[in-house]
Amino acid sequence: DFAMTQSPLSLPVTLGQPASISCRPGQSLVNDIANTYLTWFQQRPGQSPRRLIYKVSNRDSGVPDRFSGSGSGTDFTLNISRVEAEDVGVYYCMQGGHWPPTFGQGTRVEIK
Amino acid sequence: EVQLVESGGGLVQPGGSLRLSCAASGFTFTSYAMSWVRQAPGKGLEWVSSISHSGGSTYYADSVQGRFTISRDNSRNTLYVQMNSLRAEDTAIYYCAKEVAGFGTDFDYWGQGTLVTVSS
């Protein structure tokens, strides 16, 4: 299966400061020229996953613009420009371009 | 508003069976593939199974192949998974998820999940 490696696995952040989560697929992730299926999900405590970012850098409706996604090939990043209390939770990347779909281990974001 | 509501979870003994349901609303159910994704207690997310919009094609993770059967009733807007020969390692919250395009490419909506506990 297509391994997805996230780092760090735990990320303590000060309110108002930026945060960055890395996701590295084991192989280059390019489905076709128009579609790289790299997705970011947020899972708040006690809740189900919520999609934040799709196809690397497209923000879902209702997602604050402090969240952004970037990257290509084997190096992808989720950035939070200024962490707020409601951002606490676990963040997962997922690849959907190579069967079967696989998730990263998750990065736990907490407030210092 | 898209809603996915799972049900059917519970406590079952090893070797037992359980059928989970996912009632969908707020979108044209018949137009989209659907999937099940699970999360063991305190662990990450694991894709389990997918089914095409018509139900004609199904896919399974190696860990459940031969034991789980995914199906759907498009007249009832409902997704199912029949789980047989359950093992302790199948203990998890099971989420149904709506596919965006194709199989396993992207999940844009998730249900609240239903907990399955396999224990004697």
Side-chain angles (χ1 to χ4, degrees), chain B residues 13-37:
Chain B
Q13 291 189 337
S17 298
L18 213 54
R19 187 176 86 153
L20 307 183
S21 302
C22 171
S25 62
F27 66 101
T28 304
F29 186 69
T30 53
S31 295
Y32 293 92
M34 297 291 294
S35 290
W36 290 97
V37 178

Side-chain angles (χ1 to χ4, degrees), chain B residues 8-20 38 48 63-69 81-94 114-120:
Chain B
L11 175 64
V12 60
Q13 291 189 337
S17 298
L18 213 54
R19 187 176 86 153
L20 307 183
R38 68 184 180 184
V48 173
S63 57
V64 306
Q65 179 76 49
R67 301 186 299 120
F68 288 16
T69 302
V81 62
Q82 175 68 42
M83 305 185 296
N84 298 331
S85 302
L86 283 163
R87 306 166 179 166
E89 54 264 35
D90 295 318
T91 294
I93 297 173
Y94 285 75
T114 187
L115 176 62
V116 172
T117 303
V118 184
S119 174
S120 54

Side-chain angles (χ1 to χ4, degrees), chain B residues 45-111:
Chain B
L45 301 169
E46 178 191 16
W47 170 79
V48 173
S49 182
S50 296
I51 187 168
S52 64
H53 65 94
S54 66
S57 297
T58 57
Y59 303 87
Y60 300 94
D62 289 345
S63 57
V64 306
Q65 179 76 49
R67 301 186 299 120
F68 288 16
T69 302
I70 191 172
S71 62
R72 63 193 294 162
D73 184 339
N74 283 347
S75 68
R76 295 176 184 266
N77 286 0
T78 303
L79 174 72
Y80 304 99
V81 62
Q82 175 68 42
M83 305 185 296
N84 298 331
S85 302
L86 283 163
R87 306 166 179 166
E89 54 264 35
D90 295 318
T91 294
I93 297 173
Y94 285 75
Y95 298 101
C96 69
K98 173 184 167 292
E99 298 266 5
V100 173
F103 298 98
T105 54
D106 189 5
F107 307 122
D108 57 351
Y109 291 95
W110 299 59

